[in-house]
Amino acid sequence: MGTDLHELLRSLRVWDPEVTTLPSFDPDTAPDDPVPLFTAWFAQAVAAGQGEPHTMSLATADEEGRPDVRIVMLHGADVDGWSFATHATSRKGGHLAARPYAALSFYWPVLGRQVRVRGPVTAAPSEEGRADLRARSTGLLAAALTGRQSEDLTSLDELAQTSQAAWERAQHEPEAPVPTWTLYRLRPEEVEFFQGDERRRHVRLMYRRGEGSESWGKGLLWP
């Protein structure tokens, strides 16, 4: 028996009170810089039991402006920007080389919250990328050593063999170099904080950075 997708979609509920708590958010109390607010919201998502709160959607575009999006892991957020890592030779690495601008989106449904970040992207110095990789798990190093991200794969057997060799090397050589592994930083021009409301009076607070400025302006958006 086939699944009726439309019927299934109509049966679903957004922000079920059994699993979601919609906290109040007073934008007048928000700090002048978005990073402290992001840090606070992130910590609250972790405390509320949100699964994998450090994952985010990363949107890029190719040379012709065609968009692409995927889920990646946040490696940090501070005055230098929101950071993530990948191979410079991957599809997203190629996109960022051609169009060094991206957008990030976090969604924490347990609190009915979203955070959206948009701005130019730069590659961190190679030594910072190496240090970031060394600080991660053996599994991430093995995945990085496997390489060839986004290339065509002949078979799952080929993947298993290459991955096994990479795991063994990662375990015996924890500082193995991965020349293409790159730490990227998105320096935001805009950061939006969205707090859902059960009456659909969602609060949207937008931070915008002035061109050539280090200071932020704040304003509300219609939901």
Side-chain angles (χ1 to χ4, degrees):
M1 179 183 297
T3 299
D4 186 328
L5 177 60
H6 294 91
E7 187 66 28
L8 182 59
L9 288 170
R10 285 191 291 270
S11 72
L12 298 175
R13 183 173 182 179
V14 176
W15 303 331
D16 187 333
E18 292 187 4
V19 295
T20 298
T21 299
L22 298 176
S24 60
F25 172 45
D26 181 359
D28 290 336
T29 65
D32 292 334
D33 187 290
V35 174
L37 182 56
F38 177 84
T39 302
W41 276 29
F42 184 86
Q44 290 163 14
V46 173
Q50 177 63 58
E52 301 184 1
H54 58 318
T55 58
M56 59 187 183
S57 299
L58 166 65
T60 58
D62 64 16
E63 292 182 357
E64 298 179 9
R66 295 174 299 187
D68 205 349
V69 66
R70 75 290 286 163
I71 303 297
V72 299
M73 185 174 70
L74 177 70
H75 284 210
D78 52 31
V79 294
D80 293 323
W82 272 247
S83 60
F84 58 93
T86 188
H87 289 282
T89 52
S90 68
R91 176 177 292 182
K92 51 188 173 292
H95 288 184
L96 292 171
R99 291 174 176 261
Y101 201 93
L104 308 174
S105 178
F106 298 84
Y107 180 45
W108 302 317
V110 71
L111 295 173
R113 285 176 169 172
Q114 298 180 55
V115 180
R116 300 167 62 203
V117 188
R118 186 168 64 172
V121 178
T122 58
S126 58
E127 58 270 19
E128 292 187 27
R130 288 193 296 269
D132 179 78
L133 183 56
R134 286 196 298 270
R136 304 295 161 180
S137 66
T138 300
L140 180 58
L141 175 58
L145 288 168
T146 300
R148 303 178 64 179
Q149 191 176 54
S150 304
E151 296 181 14
D152 290 337
L153 175 66
T154 302
S155 68
L156 293 181
D157 287 339
E158 180 187 18
L159 172 61
Q161 293 173 10
T162 304
S163 176
Q164 181 61 34
W167 269 93
E168 293 174 359
R169 186 181 178 193
Q171 291 169 334
H172 293 94
E173 194 180 344
E175 295 192 9
V178 185
T180 59
W181 189 256
T182 304
L183 180 68
Y184 291 96
R185 289 197 177 95
L186 187 157
R187 186 176 186 275
E189 295 174 340
E190 296 181 346
V191 184
E192 179 192 332
F193 293 84
F194 172 104
Q195 174 60 67
D197 178 84
E198 62 181 4
R199 300 184 189 180
R200 300 302 189 265
R201 298 172 184 173
H202 314 310
V203 179
R204 298 177 62 188
L205 175 64
M206 174 67 83
Y207 286 82
R208 292 188 177 95
R209 195 198 305 264
E211 186 174 352
S213 172
E214 294 299 321
S215 62
W216 292 92
K218 292 184 295 182
L220 298 175
L221 301 176
W222 279 86

